[in-house]
Amino acid sequence: MLLTALEFLGLVAFAASGALAAVRARLDVFGVVVLGLTTALGGGVIRDVLLGIHPPTTLRNWPYLAVCAATALVVFVFHPQVARLRRGVLLADALGLGVFATAGTTIALNAGATVYAACLIGMTTGIGGGAVRDLLLREIPLVLRKEIYAVAALAGSVLVAVGHALRLPAGPVTVVAAAGVVSIRMVALWRHWNAPLPRAPE
């Protein structure tokens, strides 16, 4: 129940993130909804495709689509108020990243993926939707340019894999790993940490 609630909170956060990006790009209401759905559900769809789960889980369960579409419409109407809740949106986004990365790793492990593959699939579940969002907006994905984002997702995936290898209870391990992702992400935002960049050419 707790993980399901966290998953839907993550969906709302990612859908709001995509919808806000669409509003800033001056897309119409259909574009805002499409970008919200893509950001929220893209990572899970990529995960299921990599694992051979057809059709993808999020496309078979209408509540996922309904929650994301409703969130995008709310952002379309009330985007000035939503944009002012920047810290809350960032925290919810970090929580969504943690939940999706760890849940994606668990699903991959249960589907028979190797530990190495499960960690990469878990990370992709967390960052995939945002990357697709940026590509649709003709931007270099944020995860490739700055901020500690993919590294945090990968760290959570590795924690889940370690817990699985040690045969620890899956529920507590997932919660602890997700909390670790959120902590890394929020500290990185607070301290303005970024991945190293190459030196400028002379």
Side-chain angles (χ1 to χ4, degrees), residues 113-187:
T114 64
V115 170
Y116 169 75
C119 289
L120 293 180
I121 289 172
M123 180 187 70
T124 302
T125 305
I127 69 174
V132 175
R133 172 201 64 206
D134 293 343
L135 291 174
L136 288 175
L137 293 174
R138 296 189 297 178
E139 299 176 358
I140 297 174
L142 180 66
V143 70
L144 301 180
R145 290 185 285 124
K146 61 179 183 178
E147 298 189 359
I148 304 298
Y149 201 82
V151 172
L154 183 60
S157 296
V158 170
L159 285 176
V160 171
V162 170
H164 179 81
L166 297 176
R167 300 186 182 277
L168 298 176
V173 168
T174 301
V175 171
V176 170
V181 174
V182 174
S183 299
I184 294 172
R185 176 68 179 142
M186 297 310 294
V187 170

Side-chain angles (χ1 to χ4, degrees), residues 19-175:
L20 280 173
V23 168
R24 287 194 291 266
R26 304 296 298 163
L27 302 188
D28 63 14
V29 62
F30 179 74
V32 170
V33 172
V34 167
L35 218 61
L37 289 170
T38 300
T39 307
L41 304 178
V45 170
I46 294 172
R47 176 202 66 209
D48 289 351
V49 169
L50 291 174
L51 293 174
I53 301 173
H54 302 294
T57 305
T58 52
L59 301 183
R60 284 187 281 116
N61 298 312
W62 68 265
Y64 290 97
L65 294 170
V67 167
C68 296
T71 301
L73 289 173
V74 169
V75 171
F76 179 81
V77 176
F78 299 105
H79 63 88
Q81 294 86 340
V82 174
R84 285 198 290 268
L85 302 174
R86 183 174 181 274
R87 291 185 178 179
V89 172
L90 287 174
L91 177 59
D93 181 80
L95 182 58
L97 177 68
V99 171
F100 287 171
T102 54
T105 307
T106 300
I107 291 171
L109 289 169
N110 291 339
T114 64
V115 170
Y116 169 75
C119 289
L120 293 180
I121 289 172
M123 180 187 70
T124 302
T125 305
I127 69 174
V132 175
R133 172 201 64 206
D134 293 343
L135 291 174
L136 288 175
L137 293 174
R138 296 189 297 178
E139 299 176 358
I140 297 174
L142 180 66
V143 70
L144 301 180
R145 290 185 285 124
K146 61 179 183 178
E147 298 189 359
I148 304 298
Y149 201 82
V151 172
L154 183 60
S157 296
V158 170
L159 285 176
V160 171
V162 170
H164 179 81
L166 297 176
R167 300 186 182 277
L168 298 176
V173 168
T174 301
V175 171

